[in-house]
Amino acid sequence: MFGIGLIRRPRYVFPYEGEHLAELVKPDQDGWARTFELREMGRAEFAVAAQLQAKNRCYLAPWSASAPPGYGEKVPAYSEYVRRCLTESVAGTMLPLLMVVNGEGVGQLTVSDIVRGATQSASIGYWISHSASKRGVTTLAVALALDAAFEELNLHRVEINVRPENKPSLAVVRKLSLVEEGYRRAYICINGKWADHRSFAAIRDEVPGGYVRLLEERIRTKPLR
């Protein structure tokens, strides 16, 4: 089982296996999405993510967590960040996943703050490259991650916190019918400033059939984008 006794296990891969990929993900200049998966990150995947972040630095900066001023914290070197992620992944407290479309990495989604015991909970955060944004990629990635969190990781609750001005991410939680639970003032330091967040959550078995199925069912009734 995930994280039990720090036993190394085969890395997770969560593919989209339905028949509606062309409807869920818009095409880019290279054509339609043919394959889509979330791939657990090892050093090779983190190297891909590092290249994506460097290429999208200006695009991602306004939404990126940063070291809060006045606390003596420093942003770790990327190699240290990777080491921490891999250590937490083995310990079962984090699951970093690369978003992969047609075999190419386009962003990162992380299931973090995994807590067992009485809560059985986690949080989801993500970023995506500019070229892959506004195509439905993030919505499908979050749907896959929620299904994996409940089915594979056997969690009970998953939380997503979104800045009030982040309209694309608010659209993601709306499309997935997550329940808004509150407002967190000055919750995370973003780009050098404390930022408020709206808090949303999903509970196991709240959506019968799962979140990917929810997206597929909505295709028949109305557009997702």
Side-chain angles (χ1 to χ4, degrees):
M1 185 177 291
F2 182 78
I4 299 299
L6 303 186
I7 297 174
R8 292 192 177 275
R9 50 168 174 72
R11 284 196 287 166
Y12 285 117
V13 177
F14 304 117
Y16 174 73
E17 297 177 323
E19 301 176 350
H20 300 281
L21 187 56
E23 295 153 290
L24 292 169
V25 176
K26 290 181 179 180
D28 62 8
Q29 67 274 14
D30 296 320
W32 296 95
R34 299 178 300 279
T35 61
F36 187 105
E37 68 183 23
L38 295 179
R39 184 185 303 165
E40 184 175 359
M41 296 173 72
R43 294 192 181 278
E45 287 77 19
F46 277 110
V48 172
Q51 293 176 348
L52 283 171
Q53 287 182 320
K55 185 177 180 180
N56 291 270
R57 192 178 308 280
C58 293
Y59 173 69
L60 296 173
W63 311 102
S64 298
S66 60
Y71 286 83
E73 298 281 344
K74 294 182 178 180
V75 177
Y78 194 73
S79 59
E80 174 62 17
Y81 165 73
V82 171
R83 188 191 67 79
R84 290 180 184 178
C85 287
L86 295 176
T87 298
E88 289 196 38
S89 181
V90 172
T93 56
M94 177 188 289
L95 182 59
L97 299 160
L98 188 69
M99 303 181 199
V100 182
V101 180
N102 294 342
E104 300 291 332
V106 298
Q108 180 177 337
L109 182 150
T110 304
V111 184
S112 61
D113 302 319
I114 298 174
V115 178
R116 296 299 179 178
T119 57
Q120 300 293 328
S121 64
S123 297
I124 282 178
Y126 48 81
W127 59 264
I128 191 166
S129 65
H130 183 263
S131 62
S133 65
K134 299 180 181 179
R135 293 176 51 206
V137 173
T138 303
T139 303
L140 181 54
V142 173
L144 278 169
L146 287 171
D147 287 349
F150 295 133
E151 296 169 11
E152 297 292 334
L153 306 188
N154 198 30
L155 293 170
H156 168 70
R157 169 189 167 87
V158 177
E159 188 172 291
I160 298 178
N161 294 289
V162 181
R163 287 174 61 181
E165 63 270 34
N166 190 339
K167 293 181 180 180
S169 281
L170 290 174
V172 169
V173 295
R174 174 182 58 80
K175 292 169 190 173
L176 294 172
S177 298
L178 269 66
V179 176
E180 185 166 6
E181 296 187 332
Y183 194 86
R184 298 191 170 190
R185 297 177 301 131
Y187 178 54
I188 302 175
C189 187
I190 303 290
N191 198 25
K193 297 180 180 179
W194 291 107
D196 296 348
H197 283 68
R198 291 169 64 177
S199 185
F200 299 82
I203 306 296
R204 184 178 183 137
D205 299 327
E206 202 166 44
V207 175
Y211 289 87
V212 170
R213 181 179 175 183
L214 173 68
L215 292 181
E216 292 175 329
E217 289 178 347
R218 287 184 173 176
I219 289 172
R220 304 186 185 96
T221 58
K222 60 182 179 179
L224 291 174
R225 304 178 286 276

